[in-house]
Amino acid sequence: MWGGRFASSPDTLMEAINASIDFDQRLYAQDIRGSKAHAAMLADMKLITADDNAAIQNGLGAILKEIETGQFEVSRSLEDIHMNIEARLTELIGDPAGRLHTARSRNDQVATDFKLWVRDQIDVTVEQIAQLQSALVAQAETGVDFVMPGFTHLQSAQPVTFGHHMLAYVEMLERDKGRFVDARRRLNENPLGAAALAGTSFNIDRNRTSDALGFDRPTANSLDSVSDRDFVLETLNAASITTIHLSRFAEELVLWSSAQFQFVTLSDKFTTGSSIMPQKRNPDAAELIRAKTGRIFAAQTALQTVMKGLPLAYSKDMQEDKEVTFDALDTLELALLAMTGMAQDLTPNPDALRKAAGSGFSTATDLADWLVRTLNMPFRQAHHATGQLVALAENRNCGLEDLSLQDMQSVEAGITKDVFTVLGLDNSVDSRKSYGGTAPENVRVQIARWKGLLT
């Protein structure tokens, strides 16, 4: 490839460390697409002939078929997918292949191919997130009236509905989609034509290739064009936050499916057994999603470390951007598919949910609120009185609703029998009608909204 300057071949170790074909061959479709657009632009601008362009287009089409049918042979000595395709094109069409590289460098070629690949993967990821959201909305509809404990510090706090809990993850995932969509919008500028780093002296039209490749516009600075990997970092950041949300839900599924909670049952499709304990049903899919978070975090950290000290413009260090990105986004895709399968497949246990919701004096806040509304008591005073009643119920080993009116009045004389209307679980969740609250009627409205958005 650069034999005119060098008198001998690279050492085999140099070839081993330098070659990227083992992983960047995944960019073949984007590379061929970019090359076709570049050749068409060169022909439009009279920089190559129409016959040369036709030969290039046909040759690249033939190579695409060879790759997709497993007939394409790659060579590590040619380093990467870009040079492998160019070499094969030369074998197929001869001299016109040598004109394809006019007014471009591997630097802008690689940046363009990788942007196209990341953009394609973002589109896949956004669709997969939407599928997971739909599965969670379906579960929310099933459990819209199921009462369960809401936790803070993993301690029973206030009753909520199962549907409300499911929709919390739908909201998180919507923000995740937004981050990917925003990253896609920002990356959608075309580096092709920036050449090695300084642009080109050929009279090219970068708007033509931008339009052909679906970019909004060409990049405005050639130095930045070939040295930018912000688009990968942003995408990995979005992936990291998404996998945090997946990991949090995975953790809850691990807890909820345990014998101690029994909130949900996971089917045989997403659990495994034990080699020694025949009774076990292990939530391995959820555990692996929780663990794979580390791989995605590591990818972002690795690329940040690569990029942090690089002067402008391109350095070979940047070849390390692809393996970690491929692995991270493959991992995210698998995690999303597995989580969607579990979300579709899990069965909530309303009896266990309700029993747990009634423990831990979870309606204590309702009692304090009643004291404020009915007796015009300052909230801090109501909080103190309610705490005394909780202590009394705890000493008697009963719930707040099991205390007698006389017991209540021994702490606060103004309490009336109406207080018992707020102490039941259903009364508690039904009362939470503020926008965003857990009341079933609120949840039904949100379910309808999400169904419309996700259709």
Side-chain angles (χ1 to χ4, degrees):
M1 181 172 56
W2 47 63
R5 171 65 178 84
F6 286 76
S8 63
S9 299
D11 187 89
T12 54
L13 283 175
M14 179 61 193
E15 181 178 300
I17 196 173
N18 195 46
S20 58
I21 185 61
D22 294 340
F23 52 86
D24 71 13
Q25 59 189 287
R26 291 183 61 164
L27 299 176
Y28 73 89
Q30 290 78 18
D31 190 73
I32 290 172
R33 185 180 174 193
S35 291
K36 282 190 165 191
H38 185 67
M41 181 275 295
L42 292 176
D44 288 341
M45 301 304 292
K46 312 300 183 187
L47 295 171
I48 63 174
T49 67
D51 288 343
D52 284 345
N53 178 45
I56 290 169
Q57 299 293 336
N58 291 334
L60 289 172
I63 292 170
L64 181 62
K65 288 181 181 179
E66 288 181 354
I67 295 174
E68 291 180 340
T69 57
Q71 300 175 26
F72 185 84
E73 294 186 9
V74 299
S75 168
R76 295 190 87 244
S77 65
L78 292 171
E79 291 190 17
D80 56 34
I81 190 61
H82 322 289
M83 296 311 302
N84 269 269
I85 288 174
E86 185 174 325
R88 179 57 179 152
L89 186 64
T90 301
E91 291 175 356
L92 290 176
I93 68 172
D95 288 345
R99 302 186 187 280
L100 174 59
H101 212 53
T102 304
R104 78 173 182 184
S105 162
R106 271 197 306 175
N107 292 355
D108 61 331
Q109 182 181 1
V110 169
T112 303
D113 293 355
F114 203 22
K115 272 196 173 183
L116 290 172
W117 187 90
V118 171
R119 191 179 71 183
D120 290 344
Q121 192 61 36
I122 285 175
D123 292 342
V124 171
T125 300
V126 168
E127 176 58 30
Q128 289 176 336
I129 292 174
Q131 291 171 5
L132 175 54
Q133 287 178 294
S134 294
L136 292 169
V137 169
Q139 285 290 352
E141 192 165 27
T142 297
V144 68
D145 292 309
F146 296 169
V147 181
M148 66 174 289
F151 297 100
T152 61
H153 309 279
L154 203 57
Q155 305 294 313
S156 185
Q158 291 178 295
V160 297
T161 58
F162 185 79
H164 193 57
H165 197 110
M166 292 296 100
L167 291 184
Y169 283 101
V170 176
E171 295 286 345
M172 294 181 208
L173 291 165
E174 187 66 14
R175 295 193 296 273
D176 293 328
K177 278 196 315 191
R179 275 181 281 270
F180 280 109
V181 169
D182 192 48
R184 189 193 195 282
R185 177 187 59 79
R186 200 160 15 255
L187 74 75
N188 209 33
E189 295 184 345
N190 179 25
L192 196 58
L197 76 162
T200 178
S201 59
F202 289 100
N203 181 32
I204 63 172
D205 187 343
R206 297 183 63 205
N207 287 304
R208 287 177 187 254
T209 53
S210 297
D211 291 342
L213 296 172
F215 287 111
D216 294 332
R217 64 190 69 84
T219 51
N221 184 286
S222 58
L223 282 167
D224 178 56
S225 301
V226 298
S227 62
D228 165 40
R229 291 300 182 269
D230 291 0
F231 67 96
V232 191
L233 289 170
E234 280 197 77
T235 302
L236 291 176
N237 179 259
S240 295
I241 297 174
T242 301
T243 199
I244 288 172
H245 295 151
L246 297 181
S247 183
R248 293 180 73 178
F249 189 39
E251 169 69 5
E252 293 199 318
L253 292 180
V254 171
L255 291 172
W256 290 0
S257 61
S258 69
Q260 289 70 32
F261 277 76
Q262 299 183 42
F263 285 3
V264 300
T265 300
L266 298 174
S267 79
D268 295 349
K269 294 179 182 179
F270 293 97
T271 55
T272 64
S274 166
S275 64
I276 189 173
M277 295 168 284
Q279 83 281 8
K280 294 293 294 296
R281 183 196 296 273
N282 298 324
D284 283 4
E287 291 173 357
L288 286 166
I289 289 171
R290 190 175 59 186
K292 287 180 183 298
T293 303
R295 294 175 70 146
I296 297 174
F297 288 179
Q300 183 180 13
T301 301
L303 185 55
Q304 286 174 330
T305 304
V306 167
M307 297 301 297
K308 71 173 181 61
L310 295 185
L312 296 180
Y314 180 82
S315 296
K316 193 69 170 182
D317 312 49
M318 292 164 67
Q319 183 169 289
E320 291 295 308
D321 59 356
K322 294 172 192 65
E323 280 186 283
V324 293
T325 303
F326 293 152
D327 181 74
L329 296 186
D330 285 348
T331 298
L332 178 60
E333 182 174 355
L334 179 60
L336 283 166
L337 291 170
M339 186 59 82
T340 300
M342 282 190 289
Q344 292 169 335
D345 199 49
L346 68 86
T347 302
N349 182 349
D351 293 336
L353 291 167
R354 188 175 186 86
K355 182 179 179 181
S359 65
F361 308 102
S362 63
T363 59
T365 305
D366 298 279
L367 174 55
D369 290 345
W370 184 89
L371 293 173
V372 172
R373 282 195 310 270
T374 306
L375 303 185
N376 198 29
M377 188 180 291
F379 181 78
R380 285 302 172 199
Q381 184 180 338
H383 185 286
H384 182 75
T386 301
Q388 291 179 300
L389 288 168
V390 167
L392 178 60
E394 192 171 38
N395 288 334
R396 296 188 179 179
N397 196 28
C398 68
L400 285 171
E401 65 277 10
D402 298 318
L403 292 174
S404 68
L405 179 60
Q406 291 73 24
D407 290 331
M408 297 275 191
Q409 291 174 338
S410 70
V411 172
E412 175 50 57
I415 294 177
T416 69
K417 63 181 181 180
D418 289 341
V419 73
F420 294 101
T421 64
V422 302
L423 292 181
L425 293 175
D426 294 318
N427 290 331
S428 176
V429 295
D430 287 345
S431 71
R432 305 294 174 180
K433 296 178 180 178
S434 60
Y435 184 77
T438 191
E441 66 181 72
N442 283 17
V443 176
R444 287 188 175 90
V445 170
Q446 292 298 323
I447 288 170
R449 179 176 74 91
W450 279 113
K451 280 185 170 182
L453 291 171
L454 294 169
T455 299

